Amino acid sequence: MLIRPGCQVALTASIPLQIWEELLRKHLTSLRSKPTSADPCLYVKHFPDGTWILMPIYVDDGLVSFTCDVAVYEKFAADLTALLDGRIKWGPADEFLQMDILQSSDRSTVSVSMESYIRSALATLDSDGKLKTYSTAAEGDILKRMSTDTSRVLTPSEKSEYLHAVGMLGYIRKLRCDIEYATSLVASRVQAPTAYDAQCVNRIFGYLKGSASIGRTFNGDPVLRGFSDADFGNAPDGRSYSGHVVMLGGSAIVARTRKQSVATTATADSELLALGALVRSMDETLVTLGNLGVNVQTPVELYCDNSATVLAATTLSARKSRHLANQAAYVREHTLSSRSMRVNLIGTKHNLADFFTKALGRDDFLRFRSQLMEGRPVSPHALAPHMTRK
C-alpha cells in the first residue's frame, strides 16, 4: 500500500481562527471525513476498499496524504475547495510546519527533515560561522559535569537567549530524535542556567550544523515494535532517566527521554517504570493506527534489557517488584490479559532505547542513529540472535 503525500493546504482569506476551525470542521464532516479519537485535529476519510484520505490540521495549515486512487483524492480536494469558497490554497506536499518532505521517485520511501528550519536557526545563532561542529549531540560525561557544575549563572539577557535556543531545540527534537537526550538535559536547567549549560546548548547546535540534512526516512516496513531502557540513579537528584522508542516504517515514530518522577532503589524498578512508559506510548499508537484502519499484527513485540523487569511483566508474581505493583499490573494488563503486547529480553548493545538514556560514544551514537532514522528494515530474524523471549 502506497501512501502519497498529496498537497499542503493553507488558509488564504483573513478569517478569525475560531471561525476558520469551525468552518473547516463542518465541511470536512460533510465530506464524511471524521476527526480521530486519538487526535481531534487529525481527520480521516475511509473508503469501502480499505483506502483513506488523511488530513492533519494545525491552526491554518494542513497536509493531505492518501492511499486511495488519485482521481478520488482530486475530487475530494475539489469538493473541499468549493465548499470553502476558494479560501484555501493547495501546494506541493514538500513542506509542513517547517518540516521538509521528500518522497522517492518510486514512492518506496518518504524522508522528513528540518534542514530549512535548522539552517534558519543557525543563521541567527551562528551568524559569524564560528560555531564548531561535533559528531555527537552531547559529551560523554555531561551528567557528571552538570551535577558538579560550578560555572557562573547566566545574566538575565544571556538567560533569555538560552531559553530561546532551548525552545528551538524543543521543536527540532520532535523530528530529530538524535538530540532528544541532550535536549532533555538542557531543558531541565532553564530555571538557573549556567555557562556550562550554554556550552551544552552550543554543542547541540554544533552537532546540528554538521548534520542539518539528516531526518527520518520511512520505508513502509509494517512491523510495529518498541524498546525501553533506564539509566538507574544517574540524575543529579538520584532519580533515573527513562527512554523509549516506538518503531514503524523503518524509523522512530515516538522517541522520548524523561527523568522519572519518583526515586527507585533498584535497577529493575527503574526499568519497570521505563517499560510502563513504553506501554502507554504503544497503547496510544495502536489507538491512532486503529483510527486509520491500519491492522497491526499482535502481539506487538516490546524489548527490554533487564531480565527482572521482563519477569515482572510476564508473570503474575514477582517479589522484587511488589512495591511497584500498580506499574507492574498495568504492564501485565497488556502483556498477559489482553495479550496485545509481548515483552522480550534483548542485549543492551541492540536495545535502541539505550540511545535515549545516556550520552554515547561516537561509534555507538552513529550506529543507533542509523538504525533509528534511516529507514533500514529490521526483521524478527535480525533480532532473534540477541533476545530471549519469555
Side-chain angles (χ1 to χ4, degrees):
M1 179 175 66
L2 296 178
I3 299 178
R4 301 177 176 88
C7 286
Q8 183 182 5
V9 186
L11 173 66
T12 59
S14 179
I15 303 175
L17 288 179
Q18 185 175 359
I19 296 177
W20 160 251
E21 290 172 358
E22 293 175 357
L23 189 66
L24 186 60
R25 176 176 52 81
K26 172 185 174 182
H27 291 314
L28 283 172
T29 302
S30 72
L31 292 174
R32 297 184 179 180
S33 183
K34 299 180 180 179
T36 63
S37 61
D39 186 343
C41 296
L42 181 64
Y43 289 82
V44 60
K45 180 176 182 178
H46 290 285
F47 297 96
D49 61 357
T51 60
W52 42 258
I53 296 175
L54 182 68
M55 188 172 180
I57 301 295
Y58 184 80
V59 191
D60 59 349
D61 289 313
L63 182 71
V64 181
S65 57
F66 58 96
T67 58
C68 61
D69 186 76
V70 175
V72 175
Y73 154 72
E74 289 177 343
K75 183 179 185 307
F76 170 85
D79 290 344
L80 183 60
T81 302
L83 286 170
L84 290 169
D85 298 324
R87 292 189 180 97
I88 59 175
K89 65 177 180 180
W90 298 81
D94 55 8
E95 186 270 335
F96 182 59
L97 301 180
Q98 303 190 68
M99 292 181 287
D100 306 309
I101 304 169
L102 177 65
Q103 188 167 35
S104 61
S105 58
D106 61 358
R107 298 189 184 277
S108 62
T109 64
V110 175
S111 299
V112 187
S113 74
M114 298 193 77
E115 181 174 6
S116 299
Y117 182 81
I118 291 170
R119 296 201 183 284
S120 176
L122 288 171
T124 301
L125 298 173
D126 186 34
S127 57
D128 57 3
K130 294 182 178 180
L131 186 64
K132 184 180 178 181
T133 59
Y134 296 91
S135 58
T136 62
E139 55 187 344
D141 61 347
I142 182 173
L143 268 182
K144 180 180 179 181
R145 293 195 60 179
M146 281 187 170
S147 62
T148 59
D149 183 16
T150 58
S151 61
R152 67 177 181 84
V153 176
L154 299 183
T155 65
S157 62
E158 290 173 332
K159 180 178 179 180
S160 178
E161 293 177 1
Y162 180 89
L163 295 178
H164 178 62
V166 170
M168 287 191 289
L169 290 175
Y171 184 59
I172 295 170
R173 77 172 178 177
K174 292 181 182 296
L175 180 70
R176 290 289 300 264
C177 63
D178 48 340
I179 67 166
E180 171 70 16
Y181 176 73
T183 301
S184 69
L185 295 185
V186 296
S188 69
R189 309 273 287 183
V190 294
Q191 281 192 322
T194 66
Y196 176 69
D197 298 328
Q199 178 183 324
C200 293
V201 168
N202 286 336
R203 181 186 176 107
I204 299 173
F205 276 107
Y207 166 70
L208 291 172
K209 181 179 180 179
S211 61
S213 62
I214 293 176
R216 300 191 199 183
T217 298
F218 299 91
N219 60 18
D221 179 5
V223 179
L224 181 69
R225 54 174 60 89
F227 300 79
S228 73
D229 192 29
D231 188 25
F232 173 61
N234 272 345
D237 60 1
R239 297 180 186 179
S240 304
Y241 281 96
S242 288
H244 69 265
V245 58
V246 176
M247 301 287 293
L248 180 64
S251 193
I253 59 171
V254 177
R256 292 189 182 129
T257 295
R258 294 290 185 273
K259 186 166 73 170
Q260 296 181 355
S261 58
V262 296
T264 54
T265 58
T267 301
D269 297 339
S270 63
E271 294 276 0
L272 183 59
L273 290 175
L275 180 60
L278 169 62
V279 170
R280 283 190 290 275
S281 287
M282 187 63 75
D283 207 16
E284 294 168 358
T285 301
L286 289 171
V287 171
T288 301
L289 293 175
N291 290 160
L292 300 181
V294 176
N295 295 318
V296 177
Q297 181 179 348
T298 56
V300 176
E301 304 292 355
L302 308 182
Y303 301 93
C304 170
D305 58 14
N306 184 274
S307 57
T309 301
V310 174
L311 179 65
T314 55
T315 61
L316 292 176
S317 178
R319 276 186 359 188
K320 290 185 178 180
S321 62
R322 282 181 181 170
H323 59 293
L324 291 174
N326 290 340
Q327 191 72 24
Y330 174 75
V331 173
R332 291 184 199 126
E333 182 178 330
H334 294 79
T335 59
L336 295 180
S337 300
S338 69
R339 297 187 182 277
S340 60
M341 304 176 200
R342 180 166 53 190
V343 182
N344 305 279
L345 182 64
I346 189 171
T348 300
K349 181 179 178 181
H350 303 282
N351 186 358
L352 298 184
D354 195 49
F355 191 71
F356 304 103
T357 60
K358 57 183 69 70
L360 300 173
R362 178 182 179 277
D363 291 346
D364 286 337
F365 181 90
L366 296 179
R367 174 173 60 86
F368 277 126
R369 186 184 74 180
S370 175
Q371 293 174 330
L372 286 161
M373 301 176 65
E374 293 183 2
R376 292 183 2 187
V378 180
S379 70
H381 300 291
L383 289 169
H386 314 298
M387 73 181 188
T388 302
R389 180 167 292 157
K390 297 292 181 181

PDB file of all heavy atoms in Angstrom, residues 204-226:
ATOM      1  N   ILE A 204      24.981  21.167  20.985  1.00  0.00           N
ATOM      2  CA  ILE A 204      23.872  20.558  20.248  1.00  0.00           C
ATOM      3  C   ILE A 204      23.709  21.233  18.891  1.00  0.00           C
ATOM      4  O   ILE A 204      23.551  20.575  17.858  1.00  0.00           O
ATOM      5  CB  ILE A 204      22.558  20.644  21.053  1.00  0.00           C
ATOM      6  CG1 ILE A 204      22.698  19.895  22.382  1.00  0.00           C
ATOM      7  CG2 ILE A 204      21.403  20.042  20.248  1.00  0.00           C
ATOM      8  CD1 ILE A 204      21.509  20.068  23.319  1.00  0.00           C
ATOM      9  N   PHE A 205      23.762  22.572  18.885  1.00  0.00           N
ATOM     10  CA  PHE A 205      23.648  23.278  17.615  1.00  0.00           C
ATOM     11  C   PHE A 205      24.867  23.017  16.728  1.00  0.00           C
ATOM     12  O   PHE A 205      24.739  22.974  15.496  1.00  0.00           O
ATOM     13  CB  PHE A 205      23.459  24.777  17.848  1.00  0.00           C
ATOM     14  CG  PHE A 205      22.029  25.166  18.100  1.00  0.00           C
ATOM     15  CD1 PHE A 205      21.607  25.520  19.371  1.00  0.00           C
ATOM     16  CD2 PHE A 205      21.104  25.160  17.066  1.00  0.00           C
ATOM     17  CE1 PHE A 205      20.283  25.865  19.607  1.00  0.00           C
ATOM     18  CE2 PHE A 205      19.775  25.499  17.294  1.00  0.00           C
ATOM     19  CZ  PHE A 205      19.366  25.865  18.563  1.00  0.00           C
ATOM     20  N   GLY A 206      26.023  22.816  17.340  1.00  0.00           N
ATOM     21  CA  GLY A 206      27.199  22.450  16.569  1.00  0.00           C
ATOM     22  C   GLY A 206      27.034  21.094  15.915  1.00  0.00           C
ATOM     23  O   GLY A 206      27.452  20.875  14.772  1.00  0.00           O
ATOM     24  N   TYR A 207      26.403  20.174  16.634  1.00  0.00           N
ATOM     25  CA  TYR A 207      26.104  18.854  16.057  1.00  0.00           C
ATOM     26  C   TYR A 207      25.104  18.987  14.907  1.00  0.00           C
ATOM     27  O   TYR A 207      25.282  18.379  13.837  1.00  0.00           O
ATOM     28  CB  TYR A 207      25.553  17.930  17.140  1.00  0.00           C
ATOM     29  CG  TYR A 207      24.903  16.686  16.590  1.00  0.00           C
ATOM     30  CD1 TYR A 207      25.661  15.690  16.000  1.00  0.00           C
ATOM     31  CD2 TYR A 207      23.514  16.531  16.644  1.00  0.00           C
ATOM     32  CE1 TYR A 207      25.061  14.544  15.474  1.00  0.00           C
ATOM     33  CE2 TYR A 207      22.907  15.401  16.119  1.00  0.00           C
ATOM     34  CZ  TYR A 207      23.689  14.415  15.531  1.00  0.00           C
ATOM     35  OH  TYR A 207      23.087  13.298  15.005  1.00  0.00           O
ATOM     36  N   LEU A 208      24.066  19.807  15.124  1.00  0.00           N
ATOM     37  CA  LEU A 208      23.062  20.005  14.075  1.00  0.00           C
ATOM     38  C   LEU A 208      23.672  20.695  12.851  1.00  0.00           C
ATOM     39  O   LEU A 208      23.272  20.424  11.715  1.00  0.00           O
ATOM     40  CB  LEU A 208      21.898  20.840  14.615  1.00  0.00           C
ATOM     41  CG  LEU A 208      21.011  20.155  15.664  1.00  0.00           C
ATOM     42  CD1 LEU A 208      20.016  21.161  16.250  1.00  0.00           C
ATOM     43  CD2 LEU A 208      20.274  18.963  15.067  1.00  0.00           C
ATOM     44  N   LYS A 209      24.627  21.569  13.084  1.00  0.00           N
ATOM     45  CA  LYS A 209      25.296  22.267  11.973  1.00  0.00           C
ATOM     46  C   LYS A 209      25.956  21.274  11.020  1.00  0.00           C
ATOM     47  O   LYS A 209      25.927  21.456   9.795  1.00  0.00           O
ATOM     48  CB  LYS A 209      26.341  23.244  12.523  1.00  0.00           C
ATOM     49  CG  LYS A 209      27.082  24.042  11.458  1.00  0.00           C
ATOM     50  CD  LYS A 209      28.090  24.999  12.103  1.00  0.00           C
ATOM     51  CE  LYS A 209      28.849  25.807  11.048  1.00  0.00           C
ATOM     52  NZ  LYS A 209      29.812  26.752  11.689  1.00  0.00           N
ATOM     53  N   GLY A 210      26.528  20.232  11.581  1.00  0.00           N
ATOM     54  CA  GLY A 210      27.200  19.239  10.752  1.00  0.00           C
ATOM     55  C   GLY A 210      26.295  18.127  10.259  1.00  0.00           C
ATOM     56  O   GLY A 210      26.745  17.245   9.516  1.00  0.00           O
ATOM     57  N   SER A 211      25.019  18.148  10.658  1.00  0.00           N
ATOM     58  CA  SER A 211      24.103  17.070  10.254  1.00  0.00           C
ATOM     59  C   SER A 211      22.711  17.616   9.936  1.00  0.00           C
ATOM     60  O   SER A 211      21.717  16.932  10.166  1.00  0.00           O
ATOM     61  CB  SER A 211      24.005  16.024  11.378  1.00  0.00           C
ATOM     62  OG  SER A 211      23.487  16.619  12.579  1.00  0.00           O
ATOM     63  N   ALA A 212      22.656  18.843   9.420  1.00  0.00           N
ATOM     64  CA  ALA A 212      21.371  19.522   9.211  1.00  0.00           C
ATOM     65  C   ALA A 212      20.439  18.765   8.280  1.00  0.00           C
ATOM     66  O   ALA A 212      19.214  18.814   8.430  1.00  0.00           O
ATOM     67  CB  ALA A 212      21.606  20.933   8.675  1.00  0.00           C
ATOM     68  N   SER A 213      20.975  18.053   7.327  1.00  0.00           N
ATOM     69  CA  SER A 213      20.135  17.385   6.323  1.00  0.00           C
ATOM     70  C   SER A 213      19.564  16.058   6.800  1.00  0.00           C
ATOM     71  O   SER A 213      18.702  15.473   6.133  1.00  0.00           O
ATOM     72  CB  SER A 213      20.938  17.160   5.040  1.00  0.00           C
ATOM     73  OG  SER A 213      22.047  16.303   5.293  1.00  0.00           O
ATOM     74  N   ILE A 214      20.018  15.565   7.939  1.00  0.00           N
ATOM     75  CA  ILE A 214      19.547  14.263   8.436  1.00  0.00           C
ATOM     76  C   ILE A 214      18.122  14.388   8.941  1.00  0.00           C
ATOM     77  O   ILE A 214      17.750  15.366   9.594  1.00  0.00           O
ATOM     78  CB  ILE A 214      20.472  13.748   9.548  1.00  0.00           C
ATOM     79  CG1 ILE A 214      21.840  13.416   8.974  1.00  0.00           C
ATOM     80  CG2 ILE A 214      19.878  12.527  10.239  1.00  0.00           C
ATOM     81  CD1 ILE A 214      22.842  12.988  10.008  1.00  0.00           C
ATOM     82  N   GLY A 215      17.306  13.398   8.633  1.00  0.00           N
ATOM     83  CA  GLY A 215      15.929  13.363   9.121  1.00  0.00           C
ATOM     84  C   GLY A 215      15.508  11.928   9.358  1.00  0.00           C
ATOM     85  O   GLY A 215      16.355  11.061   9.596  1.00  0.00           O
ATOM     86  N   ARG A 216      14.233  11.679   9.273  1.00  0.00           N
ATOM     87  CA  ARG A 216      13.728  10.312   9.413  1.00  0.00           C
ATOM     88  C   ARG A 216      13.248   9.817   8.061  1.00  0.00           C
ATOM     89  O   ARG A 216      12.520  10.516   7.356  1.00  0.00           O
ATOM     90  CB  ARG A 216      12.577  10.247  10.419  1.00  0.00           C
ATOM     91  CG  ARG A 216      12.951  10.693  11.813  1.00  0.00           C
ATOM     92  CD  ARG A 216      11.860  10.343  12.807  1.00  0.00           C
ATOM     93  NE  ARG A 216      11.981  11.128  14.038  1.00  0.00           N
ATOM     94  CZ  ARG A 216      11.187  10.990  15.095  1.00  0.00           C
ATOM     95  NH1 ARG A 216      10.222  10.100  15.081  1.00  0.00           N
ATOM     96  NH2 ARG A 216      11.358  11.741  16.155  1.00  0.00           N
ATOM     97  N   THR A 217      13.645   8.610   7.702  1.00  0.00           N
ATOM     98  CA  THR A 217      13.245   8.003   6.437  1.00  0.00           C
ATOM     99  C   THR A 217      12.351   6.806   6.722  1.00  0.00           C
ATOM    100  O   THR A 217      12.724   5.904   7.473  1.00  0.00           O
ATOM    101  CB  THR A 217      14.478   7.549   5.627  1.00  0.00           C
ATOM    102  OG1 THR A 217      15.285   8.695   5.320  1.00  0.00           O
ATOM    103  CG2 THR A 217      14.044   6.884   4.327  1.00  0.00           C
ATOM    104  N   PHE A 218      11.170   6.807   6.114  1.00  0.00           N
ATOM    105  CA  PHE A 218      10.185   5.740   6.320  1.00  0.00           C
ATOM    106  C   PHE A 218      10.096   4.897   5.059  1.00  0.00           C
ATOM    107  O   PHE A 218       9.943   5.425   3.955  1.00  0.00           O
ATOM    108  CB  PHE A 218       8.824   6.339   6.665  1.00  0.00           C
ATOM    109  CG  PHE A 218       8.840   7.155   7.926  1.00  0.00           C
ATOM    110  CD1 PHE A 218       9.103   8.509   7.888  1.00  0.00           C
ATOM    111  CD2 PHE A 218       8.611   6.560   9.166  1.00  0.00           C
ATOM    112  CE1 PHE A 218       9.135   9.274   9.054  1.00  0.00           C
ATOM    113  CE2 PHE A 218       8.647   7.303  10.324  1.00  0.00           C
ATOM    114  CZ  PHE A 218       8.905   8.655  10.278  1.00  0.00           C
ATOM    115  N   ASN A 219      10.210   3.569   5.235  1.00  0.00           N
ATOM    116  CA  ASN A 219      10.288   2.673   4.085  1.00  0.00           C
ATOM    117  C   ASN A 219       9.077   1.768   3.925  1.00  0.00           C
ATOM    118  O   ASN A 219       9.067   0.884   3.072  1.00  0.00           O
ATOM    119  CB  ASN A 219      11.552   1.808   4.185  1.00  0.00           C
ATOM    120  CG  ASN A 219      11.574   0.956   5.447  1.00  0.00           C
ATOM    121  OD1 ASN A 219      10.544   0.731   6.084  1.00  0.00           O
ATOM    122  ND2 ASN A 219      12.748   0.478   5.831  1.00  0.00           N
ATOM    123  N   GLY A 220       8.050   1.947   4.750  1.00  0.00           N
ATOM    124  CA  GLY A 220       6.855   1.129   4.604  1.00  0.00           C
ATOM    125  C   GLY A 220       6.894  -0.186   5.358  1.00  0.00           C
ATOM    126  O   GLY A 220       5.967  -0.995   5.244  1.00  0.00           O
ATOM    127  N   ASP A 221       7.947  -0.447   6.125  1.00  0.00           N
ATOM    128  CA  ASP A 221       8.016  -1.669   6.940  1.00  0.00           C
ATOM    129  C   ASP A 221       6.799  -1.694   7.863  1.00  0.00           C
ATOM    130  O   ASP A 221       6.637  -0.815   8.698  1.00  0.00           O
ATOM    131  CB  ASP A 221       9.318  -1.665   7.746  1.00  0.00           C
ATOM    132  CG  ASP A 221       9.455  -2.885   8.642  1.00  0.00           C
ATOM    133  OD1 ASP A 221       8.588  -3.782   8.571  1.00  0.00           O
ATOM    134  OD2 ASP A 221      10.418  -2.941   9.433  1.00  0.00           O
ATOM    135  N   PRO A 222       5.911  -2.694   7.744  1.00  0.00           N
ATOM    136  CA  PRO A 222       4.660  -2.688   8.503  1.00  0.00           C
ATOM    137  C   PRO A 222       4.776  -3.152   9.946  1.00  0.00           C
ATOM    138  O   PRO A 222       3.781  -3.113  10.690  1.00  0.00           O
ATOM    139  CB  PRO A 222       3.779  -3.646   7.699  1.00  0.00           C
ATOM    140  CG  PRO A 222       4.749  -4.658   7.159  1.00  0.00           C
ATOM    141  CD  PRO A 222       6.012  -3.875   6.852  1.00  0.00           C
ATOM    142  N   VAL A 223       5.959  -3.593  10.366  1.00  0.00           N
ATOM    143  CA  VAL A 223       6.102  -4.163  11.706  1.00  0.00           C
ATOM    144  C   VAL A 223       6.247  -3.048  12.748  1.00  0.00           C
ATOM    145  O   VAL A 223       7.111  -2.181  12.633  1.00  0.00           O
ATOM    146  CB  VAL A 223       7.308  -5.119  11.787  1.00  0.00           C
ATOM    147  CG1 VAL A 223       7.445  -5.684  13.199  1.00  0.00           C
ATOM    148  CG2 VAL A 223       7.143  -6.243  10.780  1.00  0.00           C
ATOM    149  N   LEU A 224       5.373  -3.094  13.752  1.00  0.00           N
ATOM    150  CA  LEU A 224       5.406  -2.148  14.867  1.00  0.00           C
ATOM    151  C   LEU A 224       6.128  -2.803  16.032  1.00  0.00           C
ATOM    152  O   LEU A 224       5.837  -3.951  16.388  1.00  0.00           O
ATOM    153  CB  LEU A 224       3.974  -1.779  15.267  1.00  0.00           C
ATOM    154  CG  LEU A 224       3.780  -0.788  16.412  1.00  0.00           C
ATOM    155  CD1 LEU A 224       4.236   0.606  16.001  1.00  0.00           C
ATOM    156  CD2 LEU A 224       2.303  -0.756  16.829  1.00  0.00           C
ATOM    157  N   ARG A 225       7.083  -2.107  16.634  1.00  0.00           N
ATOM    158  CA  ARG A 225       7.818  -2.662  17.776  1.00  0.00           C
ATOM    159  C   ARG A 225       8.291  -1.517  18.671  1.00  0.00           C
ATOM    160  O   ARG A 225       8.347  -0.358  18.254  1.00  0.00           O
ATOM    161  CB  ARG A 225       9.013  -3.499  17.316  1.00  0.00           C
ATOM    162  CG  ARG A 225       9.967  -2.785  16.379  1.00  0.00           C
ATOM    163  CD  ARG A 225      11.207  -3.647  16.104  1.00  0.00           C
ATOM    164  NE  ARG A 225      10.879  -4.902  15.490  1.00  0.00           N
ATOM    165  CZ  ARG A 225      10.788  -5.094  14.173  1.00  0.00           C
ATOM    166  NH1 ARG A 225      10.984  -4.078  13.356  1.00  0.00           N
ATOM    167  NH2 ARG A 225      10.506  -6.270  13.684  1.00  0.00           N
ATOM    168  N   GLY A 226       8.621  -1.840  19.923  1.00  0.00           N
ATOM    169  CA  GLY A 226       9.053  -0.816  20.854  1.00  0.00           C
ATOM    170  C   GLY A 226      10.218  -1.284  21.713  1.00  0.00           C
ATOM    171  O   GLY A 226      10.395  -2.494  21.949  1.00  0.00           O
TER     172      GLY A 226
END
